[in-house]
Amino acid sequence: MSTPQIEAFLEMMAVERDASPHTLSAYGRDLADAEASVEGGLMKGDEAGVEGWYAGLARQGLSPATQARRRSAVRQFYRFALGEGWRSDDPSRRLDAPKQGRSLPRTLSGEEIQRLLAASAHEGAAGLRLVALVELAYASGLRVSELLGLRLEAVRRDPAWLIVRGKGGKERLAPLNTSAREAVKAWLIARDAARPDKAPDSPWLFPSSSAKGHLTPRRFAQLLDQAAIDAGIDPARVSPHVLRHAFATHLLDGGADLRVVQTLLGHADIATTQIYTHVATDRLAQVVRSKHPLARED
């Protein structure tokens, strides 16, 4: 449920704060939920009503991250309403941020990556495409949007590095190892062979009939699910983003500098990258507990 005030707030977020379509969509859903749940709606709701709505989020089983985002949306809306003179008070002022535990990124072992690649390599162009997708994601740490949005011209000359435009329009270099380059070459041969004679070529490395003209994240995730099942891996543990996590975690396991990994991932803040050090540390602790003679239980 939207209102003129919510629409005005979202317009302000888009124009003045350059909020992404994803953020605007999420905030729109969050505010619609609050509007429908707070007695009298957001413009007439009081502190008790807003706090009751917020307390109910935890009872619904929503994650702390989702609760925090909904709190942020409502608090920003009320600050906007105060500035516009629509309200003289802020009923969200006492909403406390939910406690968030450390959420470690899911990842795969090197052996599981190899099994996933082997399971992806079924016959035909579809298999070559999936192997190229997995190899690229794991070799370069690309976000799924960056991977699926690769243009054909970026790889035609067999580069050792890709120039990627990531979040905020910032460019960075993404590495390609020999295995990934060979997988791309094999896919390009199959891709070119499948194109009808004289038909115009798609500008995308992974073209499809989707509205955007290239493979969608949903379809890539579906293909990974099937490959995971074929590899004997729980598909709940595998996703395009998990391949990016594996890239970062395995680099740190191998002794890579945290700043280098930050640059390769395109993280603006190194604190975002530091979460991977916890994964590496936890893995080292497990090795010590299982392998050190004084740590093992008799």
Side-chain angles (χ1 to χ4, degrees):
M1 180 188 301
S2 188
T3 66
Q5 292 83 6
I6 291 176
E7 293 298 327
F9 168 74
L10 294 175
E11 182 178 355
M12 179 277 295
M13 292 287 291
V15 175
E16 297 182 16
R17 302 188 187 177
D18 195 26
S20 70
H22 176 77
T23 298
L24 294 173
S25 177
Y27 272 27
R29 292 193 301 271
D30 294 341
L31 293 172
D33 175 77
E35 175 68 23
S37 302
V38 174
E39 186 174 354
L42 290 173
M43 293 307 300
K44 295 182 179 179
D46 56 17
E47 283 193 0
V50 172
E51 290 171 8
W53 159 78
Y54 184 60
L57 299 181
R59 292 194 295 271
Q60 294 173 36
L62 298 182
S63 70
T66 300
Q67 295 176 49
R69 192 194 66 220
R70 293 195 176 183
R71 170 182 176 270
S72 175
V74 167
R75 294 201 67 186
Q76 290 188 66
F77 172 79
Y78 277 124
R79 282 198 292 269
F80 178 67
L82 282 171
E84 294 294 308
W86 297 338
R87 288 194 64 134
S88 59
D89 65 327
D90 178 4
S92 69
R93 62 187 181 87
R94 297 193 302 184
L95 297 183
D96 294 326
K99 295 181 180 180
Q100 300 194 44
R102 189 182 75 185
S103 178
L104 295 181
R106 292 177 295 163
T107 189
L108 297 171
S109 68
E111 186 268 339
E112 287 174 322
I113 291 288
Q114 293 304 317
R115 283 161 49 196
L116 189 66
L117 282 167
S120 301
H122 45 79
E123 293 183 4
L128 293 172
R129 182 183 65 177
L130 184 54
V131 170
L133 283 161
V134 176
E135 287 276 16
L136 280 172
Y138 178 57
S140 60
L142 295 177
R143 298 178 177 92
V144 66
S145 59
E146 298 166 347
L147 172 62
L148 301 181
L150 283 174
R151 301 183 74 86
L152 183 62
E153 62 191 22
V155 299
R156 271 296 189 195
R157 297 186 179 183
D158 187 27
W161 294 82
L162 295 173
I163 299 176
V164 180
R165 187 179 296 275
K167 287 186 176 180
K170 295 181 179 179
E171 289 187 344
R172 72 181 191 279
L173 290 175
L176 291 182
N177 58 28
T178 301
S179 182
R181 290 164 68 182
E182 291 301 320
V184 170
K185 288 179 190 176
W187 161 238
L188 287 178
I189 293 172
R191 179 188 182 282
D192 292 342
R195 183 164 58 91
D197 291 340
K198 299 181 180 180
D201 200 0
S202 166
W204 308 109
L205 176 57
F206 301 107
S208 80
S209 58
S210 71
K212 290 189 176 181
H214 58 68
L215 199 68
T216 65
R218 178 181 176 84
R219 181 56 182 154
F220 183 24
Q222 290 172 341
L223 294 172
L224 278 180
D225 281 350
Q226 186 57 56
I229 292 171
D230 294 341
I233 303 171
D234 182 355
R237 296 181 53 230
V238 181
S239 73
H241 208 61
V242 166
L243 297 176
R244 175 171 157 90
H245 292 328
F247 164 81
T249 304
H250 296 172
L251 280 178
L252 290 169
D253 281 347
D257 182 85
L258 188 64
R259 287 287 183 184
V260 172
V261 177
Q262 176 193 7
T263 300
L264 292 174
L265 290 174
H267 286 161
D269 188 345
I270 197 169
T272 308
T273 317
Q274 284 176 326
I275 189 70
Y276 295 102
T277 65
H278 297 305
V279 177
T281 301
D282 287 352
R283 186 170 296 171
L284 289 173
Q286 290 173 10
V287 170
V288 171
R289 286 195 297 268
S290 63
K291 303 299 184 183
H292 194 283
L294 297 182
R296 293 200 297 259
E297 295 182 1
D298 293 331

